[in-house]
Amino acid sequence: MKTAVSRAVRGARNVQLRNRFVSTTSSISSIHTPILRLPAPSLLKSTLHSRTFTSTTRLREKQDQDDDDERKWSTPLAKQLAQAIELTGPIPLASYMRMCLTSDVGGYYTGALEEGRDQFGLKGDFVTSPEISQIFGELIGVWFLTEWLAQGKKSTGVELIEVGPGRGTLMDDMLRTIQRFPSMSNSIDAIYMVEASPELRQTQKNLLCGPDAPFTESKQGYHSVCKYNSIPIVWTETIKSIPISPEKQPFIVAHEFFDALPIHAFQLVSVPPSQQQRPNSSPSNQITSPTLQWREMLVSPTPPNSTHESLNTPPSQSRLTPPPDFQLTLSPSPTRHSLYLPDSSPRFRSLKQSVGPGALLEVCPDLSLYASDFAHRIAGSPSSPKPKPLGAALILDYGPGDGTIPTNSLRGIRKHKRVSPFAEPGLTDLSVDVDFAAIAEAATNASEGVEVHGPVPQGVFLELMGIKERAEVLVKKAGKEEGRKEVVENAWKRLVDVGPGGMGKVYQALAILPENEGRRRPVGFGGDVVN
């Protein structure tokens, strides 16, 4: 009976997976990455009990052998991704990343980690700047204060919006700082936190509002009241759930958010004439020379019984994890993404001439969506015009600051070590280098009412904001407290370190502001405080 049931599960699972995984966007013009939704184990169980089967002894023996030979996957998510790929073929890297990070079945930020452990801090997988020093969040709060001053000290209608708030540490440090300036603090109508993880939402609420504060749900999201000045806080799963109003002044912060957005990866190849001929074409229309075409890098399972050695896991990646379950393969023919995304920017199109065959390209459609949304909130859009641009967005993340297009930047992080991004899906954090030039391009294309400053290295930004001076104040306050001075000193210096791989060099800061014909630079980008 065990083998018959196993076969029933496989059959039912294939039907369910086909229904869930074959969904794609309806038009090639859409830049949303298809979301692959995996069937919950409970669905498989209910299907199992709804059917009965009979089989011969010989068939049972063969199926028993099939079950014994079934490949062992490193995580439940890896197994279900493999089942999906078996049905639909290799999937885009963006789909793989989205599932690994936010799947409702075992995603990294949505429940795959064991209870009592989070992603952040020394006991997690990585440490972010707000967790290193309180000064980081304080200076971000000061930066938004200077923008509020420069834009006329609006008495009402200010909104604070954070995308990807982590534990809530950054917003907590910002609010504690802003509270010291009552005129701005009293101008804040609401705080919005864009967070997909239920666990992180609860952590943020406990920090910003208190464990005993009410936490109610509505169609828009989740609601509570901040411990600072009793400001309403709303949690949403997407920024589209936050209303856009022409009277509002949004101050938006995105810290280590864009690096987690899914990317599509492409390679430029030379296609010979024999692979380009059209059926029934006349001799005069025959293609006689190679052409350059983009091919998408797709995710497919590694061969069974693979090892780190057989897969040539790079020395830069730890081999303490199981061998990768998946690998990148080059699509033999164009995909709908390869026909559109590499032509979506002049920077991308120029690669055919400047690099030629072998050129690599990473494109993040969601990056453009968020940058455009920021610009629309600050300066309005055709569907929601704004009489006067108001607000600002500050983006801090890692990536090239010289306009270079990122390539081969996908990385996996596990317990503070670089690992294969295809090992233990759902348990491994995934991130990529941020294309800051693409953010600037998307924002300015979305609205003529904004301008972009930067990117500048994080070390430069923080030093211009006064990180050294603030650290000196904290050291004096610490007095003779054991070890406190050393902790403060080491923390701020780590944030501005410009050595190889240093946070002050690798991380960049970029600002989106109301267009002012270059008359005013923001603080931290070469400008002064305007009152």
Side-chain angles (χ1 to χ4, degrees), residues 157-319:
V158 172
E159 297 174 332
L160 296 183
I161 301 172
E162 183 176 4
V163 291
R167 286 173 168 170
T169 307
L170 173 58
M171 182 60 73
D172 187 59
D173 290 336
M174 287 173 53
L175 290 171
R176 190 183 65 256
T177 302
I178 292 172
Q179 189 186 32
R180 299 177 61 185
F181 303 89
S183 294
M184 181 182 180
S185 181
N186 293 332
S187 72
I188 301 173
D189 287 352
I191 301 167
Y192 293 94
M193 309 282 276
V194 181
E195 179 58 69
S197 167
E199 291 78 14
L200 288 176
R201 281 198 298 266
Q202 188 66 49
T203 299
Q204 296 155 17
K205 176 261 176 186
N206 291 344
L207 177 62
L208 298 175
C209 308
D212 299 326
F215 202 38
T216 59
E217 184 178 2
S218 71
K219 290 183 179 180
Q220 182 184 17
Y222 298 85
H223 305 258
S224 192
V225 178
C226 182
K227 63 186 180 184
Y228 300 109
N229 221 25
S230 298
I231 303 170
I233 304 185
V234 182
W235 282 263
T236 67
E237 292 191 7
T238 170
I239 197 168
K240 295 299 182 184
S241 298
I242 303 175
I244 299 180
S245 172
E247 294 81 23
K248 299 297 184 181
Q249 184 177 29
F251 289 131
I252 308 165
V253 60
H255 175 255
E256 290 204 42
F257 171 76
F258 282 88
D259 67 275
L261 296 180
I263 61 167
H264 291 267
F266 304 95
Q267 182 174 339
L268 191 63
V269 301
S270 179
V271 181
S274 60
Q275 298 181 22
Q276 303 177 54
Q277 305 301 344
R278 298 184 181 89
N280 303 321
S281 59
S282 63
S284 61
N285 292 329
Q286 293 291 312
I287 300 173
T288 57
S289 60
T291 62
L292 294 178
Q293 295 182 10
W294 289 102
R295 292 287 190 265
E296 186 165 11
M297 302 296 291
L298 302 175
V299 177
S300 62
T302 52
N305 302 315
S306 293
T307 64
H308 283 293
E309 289 72 23
S310 67
L311 296 173
N312 294 317
T313 299
S316 60
Q317 297 176 1
S318 170
R319 297 192 175 190

Side-chain angles (χ1 to χ4, degrees), residues 387-414:
K388 178 185 177 182
L390 281 172
L394 183 62
I395 299 163
L396 300 108
D397 225 311
Y398 47 83
D402 59 359
T404 303
I405 301 171
T407 59
N408 285 328
S409 72
L410 178 65
R411 62 182 65 83
I413 304 292
R414 188 86 194 276

Side-chain angles (χ1 to χ4, degrees), residues 12-55:
R13 182 171 53 205
N14 286 345
V15 173
Q16 292 166 347
L17 286 170
R18 184 177 294 110
N19 291 338
R20 283 174 170 256
F21 281 88
V22 180
S23 62
T24 57
T25 50
S26 58
S27 168
I28 195 171
S29 63
S30 171
I31 59 176
H32 286 285
T33 302
I35 298 178
L36 305 181
R37 295 195 177 273
L38 300 172
S42 59
L43 292 178
L44 302 181
K45 184 180 292 186
S46 63
T47 307
L48 181 152
H49 288 294
S50 65
R51 301 176 64 180
T52 57
F53 295 83
T54 59
S55 60

Side-chain angles (χ1 to χ4, degrees), residues 487-519:
V487 170
V488 173
E489 289 283 349
N490 290 341
W492 83 264
K493 289 179 180 178
R494 180 179 177 185
L495 294 177
V496 300
D497 178 20
V498 295
M503 297 183 74
K505 180 180 181 180
V506 174
Y507 284 76
Q508 311 290 327
L510 179 144
I512 304 174
L513 301 182
E515 206 283 324
N516 65 78
E517 298 180 349
R519 293 188 298 270

